[in-house]
Amino acid sequence: EISEGGGLSILMLVRQNVLGLVLWLGCFCMVLNARESRRRYRREDWEIELKIRARWDGWTALGAGVGRVSQFNDVPQSQPLEGVHYKVAVRDSPPFVIYTKGPNGSEDFIGYSIDLLERFRQNLGFTYDLVKSPDNTGNSLITMVNETFQGVNMAITSITLAPDRSDSVAFSTPYFDLGLRVAIYPTTKPPTLWQFLIPFSTSSWLAIIVLFLAVVLSLMCFESKMNDRDFRHGSPVRSFFLGFYYTFQAAVQQLHMRAESGEGRFVLAGSVFFFFIVASTYTAELASFLTLKKYQEKIFDITNDGTVSESDLPYFAPLLAVDELSAVGTWFHREISNASSQKCFAIAGCLDPVRSGEAGGTIYDGPLLEYAIATDPKYQDLRIIGDSMNLQGYGIAFRLDEDIQHINLFDMEILTARYDGFTDDLHAKWFPKVITSESTSVELEPIYFLELGGVFLITLGLFVSGWLLHLFNLARDKLGLFQWWDRPTHHVVTLPPTNRIDATRDLLRELNETGRLPKESVRTRLLMHMVLQSIIKMDEEYHIRNETDRFESD
């Protein structure tokens, strides 16, 4: 109102008084400054957002968008395009434009872009008719606008703002940001005889085998000469296999061995702890691997940069289905590879060869792929992989001779729709909530050696403790060191000598026949033989001496 009635207001204020004129000019400048500051802040925010989200160096070359925002100062606010009529070219590109049948059988158009166009009509006051593209390609819309085919002077659908199109049409500010994505059809891997090994990596299995053998040899060394209960009458070979057997029992948590030496107890404690953790992890991982489908992909992260990206595409160019009549094809052959790829047209024409296995994958506009895979049962087994590539935007195409003020009005409407959340509402309305996975692989990763490093360290600590105790005992027994470690023992005779001979003979006989003693306080076969034989010899000498003394006394 100020801008429209400014001239009349000035004349009236001049007639009244000079002071009123000064006050009016001050207020008018404040209002203009506030409006300009608001535009500047919104313009700066939009420029930052555009640089972050689009990162398109050729944007200013199109002569549209940010470069024209500064001209919004002259845009009137109330339905400035009333009386203007547009013939708008569209193509079937769900969810932006969807062809449907009306109640009377006539063809109707709905979708994201149609709702946005309807909002523009309500705010700007223009009228429009929709014209269907004859071959349903993005380039055909550009051609229709450029050549005014059937009177077309505007196009809106999923039209990519590309620098090579700026010579044919004028573009608006982008109303939708996007990037290109790769879609593949993963196939099931054939089963193998060694699938039970997949939960652990090769390094993990080697470390487990080495530790298993270390337990076997340690038990054989520490227990075979002392533990007559579990290692009785054993040769070295027999002791080795008994150690193997007991170690396997520890691995499956079914251990029945009872270590007699301190070293053996350390080793068994470490092995039981280690194999408990390993067995639990293996069971959980094996269940996950066997219940999850294994996939093999024709397109994968060959450059090992963490995901499928632009650097991987040149290696798979012959396997990719590329829409040659779209901005995707132009970008692919200009930036990625000149090698021949499989030609396709439109989204369905590019997804069908992927689904049938004729193509290893396709690269297409990300939102179109997401919508097709999430809504069409025919493509539900396809999967999107990798990051978004070649970030860009969808915009409205106008004839080159379109009034620049009209394009500015559309730019302002697009910015307003983006900032007041209208485009977010459209996204929630037209895009399904379930979006395909962005992971580059659905296979579970095996457990690597470093992931079990803590378990190995604890087990190694117990092993070292056992071997240090063994060396300590050797130094005490062989070199006579650390004698203070021995505790004094007291021999207590609880039976008369004559009865003790019979009792010890019974113990020795039972030990020789069964290999076990009635009480498990002493289980060392060699020590028991020596002790019992010494007692028998001493008692026999004592008994003979007593008999001789009695005979001589008689």
Side-chain angles (χ1 to χ4, degrees), residues 518-533:
K519 294 182 179 180
E520 296 184 355
S521 58
V522 182
R523 304 186 189 92
T524 307
R525 177 172 53 83
L526 183 59
L527 182 61
M528 278 303 302
H529 275 78
M530 184 172 59
V531 171
L532 292 176
Q533 288 174 0

Side-chain angles (χ1 to χ4, degrees), residues 50 129 150 173 218 229 281 289 338 417 457 468:
L50 186 64
D129 293 325
Q150 296 183 2
T173 295
S218 298
R229 178 179 181 268
T281 305
F289 271 97
N338 290 324
L457 288 178
L468 289 177

Side-chain angles (χ1 to χ4, degrees), residues 149-202:
F149 179 79
Q150 296 183 2
V152 168
N153 51 8
M154 180 197 296
I156 183 172
T157 315
S158 52
I159 304 176
T160 303
L161 283 71
D164 58 307
R165 292 174 169 177
S166 60
D167 295 334
S168 303
V169 294
F171 284 111
S172 68
T173 295
Y175 63 84
F176 193 95
D177 298 324
L178 71 144
L180 303 181
R181 305 293 300 276
V182 175
I184 64 169
Y185 178 52
T187 56
T188 305
K189 288 184 176 180
T192 65
L193 295 176
W194 307 104
Q195 281 187 301
F196 72 94
L197 297 176
I198 56 179
F200 291 144
S201 65
T202 303

Side-chain angles (χ1 to χ4, degrees), residues 432-449:
K433 295 181 179 180
V434 180
I435 302 300
T436 53
S437 172
E438 299 183 2
S439 173
T440 60
S441 178
V442 297
E443 290 191 16
L444 294 177
E445 290 290 333
I447 301 297
Y448 293 98
F449 173 76

Side-chain angles (χ1 to χ4, degrees), residues 430-480:
W430 291 105
F431 282 87
K433 295 181 179 180
V434 180
I435 302 300
T436 53
S437 172
E438 299 183 2
S439 173
T440 60
S441 178
V442 297
E443 290 191 16
L444 294 177
E445 290 290 333
I447 301 297
Y448 293 98
F449 173 76
L450 289 179
E451 298 178 87
L452 297 174
V455 182
F456 277 99
L457 288 178
I458 294 175
T459 307
L460 182 62
L462 294 172
F463 261 77
V464 171
S465 301
W467 277 99
L468 289 177
L469 181 59
H470 180 66
L471 295 176
F472 176 84
N473 291 333
L474 287 178
R476 185 191 61 186
D477 298 337
K478 302 296 184 181
L479 303 177

